[in-house]
Amino acid sequence: MHAATTRARLAAQCTRALGTHASAAPAWRPSSALDEWVQRHARPISLRQLTFFGRTLTEARLLASANYCRLELPTRLAHRLRDIQTLPYVVVANPHLAHVYESYLRAFERFRRVPAVRSLDDNARYCALLEHTLAEHAAVIPRLAIGVLEVRGLVTPEATDRFMTTMLRSRISRRVIAEQHLALTATFHSPCHGPHAPLRHDQEAVGEIFLRCNAREIVHACAKTTQDLITRAYGPDVQLPQIKLYGHLEAAFPYIPSHLEYMIGELLRNSIQAVVEQRTSQHADPPPIEVLICETAQHVILRISDQGGGVPNELLPYLWSFSKGPRRETRLQNLARVPTLLGKPQEPPVPEPAAHLSSELHQKLGTRSQHGDASAHHGSLSSLTSRAPHLRLGIGLPMSRLYAEYWAGSLEIHSLEGYGTDAFLQISKLGNKNERLTTRASMDAI
């Protein structure tokens, strides 16, 4: 009893000494449940597996999907919680990182207690829990980005970037799993699904996966969105560069459209904005942005070339870093202005799908819920692709690379200062590569 009283008194003294900072620190508490779940291994998936599993959807398969999510989500959350616990305490005491830790811990405790999903009613309750958690975690990425910028100097930039890469890659994976199950559930309950529904051989999508993403359509859609945003930001008189497409314009492949829109949108945004801001003569037309689409047996490659002056040499070494490089204060200010960025698209304000999809692609995607191919559930990146051009966050390129590498693709930037930039986005065309995950073993080996 005396020892407990002494510990309580010391804790109170520490709280008074630390003042308001004490409330920011996460509540470290032993958890045998966390130790147990950390011992489990994530079961990676591929686009092809998701497609084959959801193409013929039965009640048994829907319940199997729910139980996969039920076990996989707390497993992946447990690994990320352990990653945070291994950081220096002074780092995790940062209020933004502490908020992320607490929100992950709440989600982990919530998910690990979900019993086996044995009926459609069980699945309905589980889907409501998924929706609630997706909304609750809307502010995770900006908080992570602000947190790692604020603790710069307390850990090495290399360690910070490894931490961010692991956290964001895992977040992508969890949202893919959760949103795919929500979409399959909406498909199963749609009027056009069931034993009496007519057989359809022109299925466009399976859950969140669009079976024939056309690179040309995505480029057109993203270009239109970016041009509209820049026109609103710079005024109606701004001269925008022409977007010229070449190559294999009908190249198509299975992919998640929101991932493609984000990557291509970020690259086009950088190029268009660079050309607009680089112009020295108002009398000459701005140089065009050229997009070359190349299709091989296993990949689709997009090269986006601009004459926007290139990346300044002082920024070039930091293109792929979340924490290094200049302009730290500007990035912090901009991130603070979008507190719920990168969550679900309920953040401020979300454009209608037609605002960023070509009419043809919008017709295919927008009618999926009517035909029972997917839910009306939106992806998690709409608000990011619609942010104002002046909000330079410093995370667009490293996040785009993460999304490219997640499904075994790649992203490279080649810059010639004073002239322009070439971006090479390579996408795995077959959909047969497993998601790229970071395991505890690989983290412990670093």
Side-chain angles (χ1 to χ4, degrees):
M1 178 67 72
H2 177 71
T5 304
T6 302
R7 286 196 298 271
R9 186 171 63 252
L10 288 173
Q13 291 173 351
C14 289
T15 300
R16 288 193 296 271
L18 290 172
T20 58
H21 293 288
S23 61
W28 300 113
R29 43 189 175 270
S31 173
S32 57
L34 183 62
D35 293 337
E36 174 190 341
W37 284 87
V38 166
Q39 299 305 314
R40 304 190 183 201
H41 296 286
R43 294 177 291 169
I45 51 178
S46 69
L47 285 171
R48 178 174 290 182
Q49 287 175 322
L50 291 175
T51 301
F52 286 169
F53 181 85
R55 190 187 287 271
T56 305
L57 192 57
T58 63
E59 180 177 335
R61 286 200 167 196
L62 184 64
L63 298 182
S65 172
N67 284 300
Y68 172 78
C69 293
R70 182 180 65 86
L71 297 176
E72 201 68 14
L73 292 178
T75 297
R76 299 187 186 203
L77 278 168
H79 285 263
R80 301 294 72 80
L81 285 166
R82 185 52 49 86
D83 291 338
I84 298 174
Q85 290 179 348
T86 59
L87 293 172
Y89 187 78
V90 67
V91 172
V92 191
N94 174 275
H96 297 286
L97 298 181
H99 178 91
V100 172
Y101 176 82
E102 289 294 340
S103 64
Y104 277 19
L105 184 60
R106 285 194 302 272
F108 168 73
E109 293 293 341
R110 187 184 299 148
F111 283 142
R112 76 178 180 86
R113 289 181 166 85
V114 175
V117 179
R118 304 184 187 278
S119 68
L120 293 179
D121 287 340
D122 290 346
N123 183 62
R125 287 188 290 270
Y126 182 60
C127 286
L129 183 66
L130 288 180
E131 288 277 12
H132 173 75
T133 305
L134 287 173
E136 189 177 65
H137 287 195
V140 162
I141 288 184
R143 282 190 176 274
L144 278 172
I146 293 172
V148 299
L149 287 173
E150 289 184 345
V151 302
R152 190 164 68 176
L154 298 176
V155 290
T156 65
E158 292 73 21
T160 302
D161 284 336
R162 285 197 299 268
F163 171 74
M164 279 293 285
T165 297
T166 301
M167 295 294 286
L168 294 178
R169 188 178 288 156
S170 179
R171 185 178 190 270
I172 295 170
S173 76
R174 296 193 307 273
R175 293 191 80 90
V176 166
I177 292 171
E179 291 176 352
Q180 178 70 1
H181 178 65
L182 290 171
L184 291 180
T185 298
T187 298
F188 184 82
H189 291 290
S190 68
C192 295
H193 180 270
H196 303 296
L199 291 176
R200 295 179 59 244
H201 302 287
D202 59 341
Q203 192 172 11
E204 296 284 3
V206 176
E208 293 288 296
I209 303 166
F210 194 57
L211 301 181
R212 292 187 57 80
C213 285
N214 182 278
R216 171 180 52 82
E217 293 176 357
I218 295 288
V219 170
H220 276 309
C222 293
K224 179 65 167 59
T225 298
T226 305
Q227 289 168 337
D228 291 344
L229 289 170
I230 290 181
T231 299
R232 291 202 297 268
Y234 291 84
D237 297 329
V238 64
Q239 283 190 281
L240 299 175
Q242 182 183 359
I243 309 294
K244 294 185 176 181
L245 273 73
Y246 305 94
H248 301 97
L249 301 183
E250 298 307 317
F253 48 91
Y255 218 78
I256 298 177
S258 62
H259 292 193
L260 273 179
E261 288 176 21
Y262 176 68
M263 294 183 291
I264 296 174
E266 282 296 316
L267 297 177
L268 286 176
R269 174 192 292 262
N270 290 343
S271 291
I272 295 174
Q273 203 165 349
V275 170
V276 168
E277 295 179 353
Q278 177 72 10
R279 288 191 66 205
T280 57
S281 172
Q282 298 300 317
H283 302 290
D285 292 334
I289 294 171
E290 298 183 349
V291 180
L292 176 64
I293 302 173
C294 299
E295 182 178 19
T296 69
Q298 296 187 1
H299 300 98
V300 172
I301 304 166
L302 286 81
R303 186 189 70 186
I304 300 176
S305 304
D306 66 64
Q307 299 176 42
V311 180
N313 283 336
E314 65 269 18
L315 296 181
L316 203 55
Y318 311 114
L319 281 185
W320 310 112
S321 174
F322 290 95
S323 61
K324 294 186 289 185
R327 304 177 182 176
R328 173 178 177 269
E329 293 304 321
T330 300
R331 292 167 64 186
L332 280 170
Q333 293 171 7
N334 290 342
L335 283 163
R337 294 178 63 183
V338 280
T340 56
L341 196 66
L342 296 185
K344 290 176 62 182
Q346 71 274 11
E347 306 101 5
V350 183
E352 293 298 321
H356 59 92
L357 291 174
S358 66
S359 58
E360 182 181 355
L361 186 59
H362 172 51
Q363 185 178 11
K364 293 177 180 177
L365 296 180
T367 57
R368 282 186 289 167
S369 59
Q370 302 173 21
H371 293 292
D373 294 325
S375 70
H377 178 80
H378 297 286
S380 60
L381 295 171
S382 298
S383 59
L384 182 59
T385 57
S386 62
R387 77 186 187 277
H390 67 278
L391 289 180
R392 290 180 168 91
L393 307 179
I395 62 175
L397 284 178
M399 277 199 60
S400 295
R401 176 177 272 187
L402 279 177
Y403 272 96
E405 293 177 345
Y406 182 73
W407 296 118
S410 64
L411 174 61
E412 299 294 338
I413 300 290
H414 299 278
S415 172
L416 182 60
E417 188 177 25
Y419 182 76
T421 302
D422 283 349
F424 293 86
L425 175 62
Q426 178 174 287
I427 297 164
S428 179
K429 179 176 135 181
L430 304 180
N432 60 344
K433 301 293 185 181
N434 280 346
E435 56 182 336
R436 185 174 178 184
L437 297 176
T438 304
T439 63
R440 278 302 319 156
S442 63
M443 283 296 294
D444 293 340
I446 293 177

